[in-house]
Amino acid sequence: MTNTISIIIPMLNEAENIASVLEHLLENSTAKNIAEIIIVDGGSVDGSEKIVTDFFTTSSKIQLLNAEKGRAIQMNFGAKHATGTILYFLHADSFPPKNFDNLIIHEVTKGNLAGCFRLQFDNNHWWLRLAGWLTQFSWRASRGGDQSQFITKKLFHDIGGYNERFTIYEDNILINELYTRKQFVVIQDKIKTSARLYKKHGVWTLQYHFWTIYVKKWFGASADQLFTYYKKHIS
């Protein structure tokens, strides 16, 4: 079977980034490897949808779907409409490396059915550079949704997709399941992602809140408790 990739991007008010991301994806992949690029909008009001539809004349593979707001809900909805053998979940402010499609397909062909890329922030703060450097290792603590997530459609469905009870932390829930199954690889090429939340809140303040959420989940906090904390301190 020939592997193809369905790229799935959950979107909510991403007018500032989505055009650049779509251009980047088209320019840094081989058309035959991409089944479609599915943008799932959760109710944008900033013109994001118009920017996406303008790309319909550029590529017939770009699709725009609408779903209830919530990253897990949006990504699961995109997965239901995907036709590729591999699902690639990408944030709307992240730019995967050149030939990312070939890199992903190569890993799947070798039997690595899920994984991510190394991370690089678009900011030179020493802590963010260190955080990015640490993502080259296979440690579970170094994982996060900003690194993007590829997974075969079959494995994704076997797991049950993203847990929609989690308004935040849904990436980590899926990653935990993959680590439990010993089915995760880190591709050493780098994905570049926005450090906009760090710029907004301050590096140390935001990192403290992320660590707090991680620890809360470790000690058994519920999905609602995590979201309440996130909404109070970050959102």
Side-chain angles (χ1 to χ4, degrees):
M1 179 192 298
T2 300
N3 283 308
T4 57
I5 300 172
S6 293
I7 303 171
I8 300 169
I9 304 173
M11 181 175 76
L12 182 64
N13 297 327
E14 290 289 352
E16 182 179 343
N17 299 299
I18 194 62
S20 298
V21 170
L22 291 175
E23 289 170 357
H24 180 87
L25 293 173
L26 295 173
E27 292 171 1
N28 289 277
S29 62
T30 303
K32 68 179 179 62
N33 290 337
I34 306 300
E36 62 264 317
I37 302 173
I38 302 173
I39 296 89
V40 186
D41 188 69
S44 295
V45 294
D46 67 343
S48 295
E49 291 183 289
K50 176 62 166 58
I51 294 171
V52 173
T53 57
D54 286 345
F55 270 86
F56 289 175
T57 58
T58 302
S59 173
S60 61
K61 296 191 176 185
I62 295 176
Q63 302 177 17
L64 176 64
L65 304 178
N66 296 99
E68 182 183 341
K69 177 183 175 182
R71 287 179 47 82
I73 294 171
Q74 290 169 245
M75 290 189 288
N76 282 343
F77 190 74
K80 289 177 183 177
H81 290 79
T83 64
T85 58
I86 303 166
L87 306 177
Y88 181 45
F89 297 97
L90 181 70
H91 286 189
D93 60 356
S94 297
F95 298 81
K98 186 175 180 60
N99 298 321
F100 66 91
D101 52 326
N102 286 316
L103 295 168
I104 290 171
I105 290 173
H106 177 66
E107 291 299 332
V108 171
T109 302
K110 290 196 302 181
N112 296 317
L113 306 184
C116 69
F117 291 99
R118 283 183 63 180
L119 180 64
Q120 179 182 4
F121 286 104
D122 63 351
N123 185 295
N124 283 323
H125 187 283
W126 73 266
W127 171 256
L128 298 182
R129 285 190 284 113
L130 174 61
W133 181 80
L134 289 171
T135 63
Q136 69 184 289
F137 303 108
S138 61
W139 306 324
R140 171 63 191 88
S142 294
R143 303 282 74 84
D146 282 339
Q147 294 172 258
S148 68
Q149 175 71 62
F150 75 85
I151 180 172
T152 64
K153 185 190 294 184
K154 182 182 184 306
L155 180 55
F156 184 77
H157 290 311
D158 286 347
I159 290 173
Y162 286 99
N163 188 332
E164 295 183 3
R165 291 189 301 108
F166 285 84
T167 309
I168 65 164
Y169 211 77
E170 74 291 328
D171 295 305
N172 288 279
I173 299 299
L174 180 65
I175 292 169
N176 285 343
E177 181 61 35
L178 292 171
Y179 267 77
T180 298
R181 295 173 180 238
K182 295 182 170 50
Q183 190 56 259
F184 202 95
V185 65
V186 180
I187 300 175
Q188 292 301 305
D189 298 69
K190 297 176 182 176
I191 183 171
K192 180 175 283 189
T193 196
S194 171
R196 57 184 172 173
L197 273 181
Y198 286 98
K199 295 173 186 175
K200 177 181 177 181
H201 296 283
V203 170
W204 298 117
T205 298
L206 185 63
Q207 194 61 60
Y208 169 79
H209 291 315
F210 281 159
W211 280 333
T212 299
I213 289 171
Y214 183 87
V215 171
K216 282 178 176 292
K217 180 62 181 69
W218 181 268
F219 283 103
S222 69
D224 288 341
Q225 288 171 327
L226 295 180
F227 178 63
T228 298
Y229 184 91
Y230 179 91
K231 190 172 182 179
K232 179 179 179 181
H233 296 285
I234 299 175
S235 179

